[in-house]
Amino acid sequence: MVPYVDRYQPPVPPTEALATFHDALRRRRSVREFSDRPVPRAWIEALVRCAHTAPSGANKQPWRFVCVQDPAIKARIRDAAEAEEREFYARRANDAWLRDLAPLGTDADKPFLTTAPWLVVVFQLTHGDDGGQVYYLKESVGLACGLFLAAAQLAGLATLTHTPSPMAFLGDILGRPKHERPFLLIPVGYAAERCSVPAAASERRPLDDVMVVV
Ligand code: IYR
């Protein structure tokens, strides 16, 4: 054990720091219309650095962020994802699911998979690279993804949490080993100039519905 000395001190009073952070987060939207405006690799690295600060079970850091910029690989991912999504919309989804998705206006076409400058494919590691056990896998990788999205938002970058299902094709296309299981596909870039987003999807239930103080 070592003394905890490197403590973060907000540069402004906490109320102000929290209001600023909340204002950034509440304006995040899941974007499905991306511009092809480039994003430097260094920024993507910085996002992964932020995600990589996440706590994880026994500090095993059971994640891999595969950052795709190669247009040919993006095209293969899009083809495979659209094939899965066609199956999803035509057969796999039940009526309730399709009804719930209707306000989002989504369909099987995923042009953002080739337009966005980066596709960050997050894998969960079912074992460590050394074959060791990992713990609280979904919690750990979910936390890392949340930090990634927040960091992107702070940098003014648009993201989408995309989960074509099933996602096994991502491991095949990206040549990942068997102990890496696809978790989330995050396109990163800038929203297209004329990007539209679903009207209701940014609404949040009242705080009293989601917060209980005892
Ligand atoms: N994966 C599909 C369907 C989809 C499912 C949920 I739950 C969403 O919140 C959004 C979409 C698609 O991307 O179209």
Side-chain angles (χ1 to χ4, degrees):
M1 303 294 269
V2 293
Y4 180 20
V5 287
D6 188 20
R7 300 182 194 204
Y8 177 70
Q9 291 290 347
V12 293
T15 307
E16 191 183 333
L18 289 167
T20 303
F21 192 49
H22 177 250
D23 186 53
L25 292 182
R26 76 176 178 79
R27 289 198 270 165
R28 181 190 169 275
R29 300 301 308 260
S30 282
V31 160
R32 294 183 176 82
E33 292 167 272
F34 278 82
S35 141
D36 62 1
R37 181 176 161 195
V39 169
R41 176 191 163 135
W43 296 6
I44 300 297
E45 276 181 23
L47 298 182
V48 176
R49 256 185 240 288
C50 290
H52 194 34
T53 66
S56 60
N59 191 27
K60 294 290 182 179
Q61 306 162 40
W63 43 64
R64 191 100 61 217
F65 293 82
V66 179
C67 303
V68 182
Q69 56 170 347
D70 183 327
I73 301 178
K74 287 196 286 182
R76 289 183 62 199
I77 290 176
R78 178 178 173 181
D79 279 352
E82 288 182 333
E84 295 293 1
E85 298 288 22
R86 279 195 291 275
E87 199 50 35
F88 171 83
Y89 283 96
R91 272 172 285 280
R92 268 188 222 126
N94 63 19
D95 289 345
W97 198 341
L98 292 176
R99 262 198 313 279
D100 281 340
L101 290 182
L104 304 183
T106 53
D107 59 27
D109 293 335
K110 304 298 172 192
F112 53 78
L113 292 174
T114 45
T115 322
W118 293 92
L119 303 180
V120 176
V121 185
V122 186
F123 289 84
Q124 50 182 340
L125 275 56
T126 57
H127 294 282
D129 292 324
D130 58 3
Q133 286 195 86
V134 297
Y135 309 94
Y136 297 102
L137 188 49
K138 284 201 161 62
E139 291 84 346
S140 303
V141 184
L143 286 163
C145 289
L147 295 182
F148 184 98
L149 298 180
Q153 180 66 6
L154 290 189
L157 294 168
T159 52
L160 174 66
T161 50
H162 184 42
T163 51
S165 163
M167 290 199 280
F169 68 87
L170 290 167
D172 297 336
I173 292 176
L174 297 170
R176 303 313 303 171
K178 280 281 166 281
H179 71 296
E180 294 184 14
R181 198 178 296 152
F183 185 78
L184 191 60
L185 196 173
I186 311 178
V188 184
Y190 289 97
E193 188 113 20
R194 291 165 199 285
C195 174
S196 42
V197 289
S202 67
E203 284 168 17
R204 288 295 180 264
R205 295 155 62 195
L207 200 65
D208 282 350
D209 274 16
V210 299
M211 179 175 176
V212 178
V213 181
V214 294

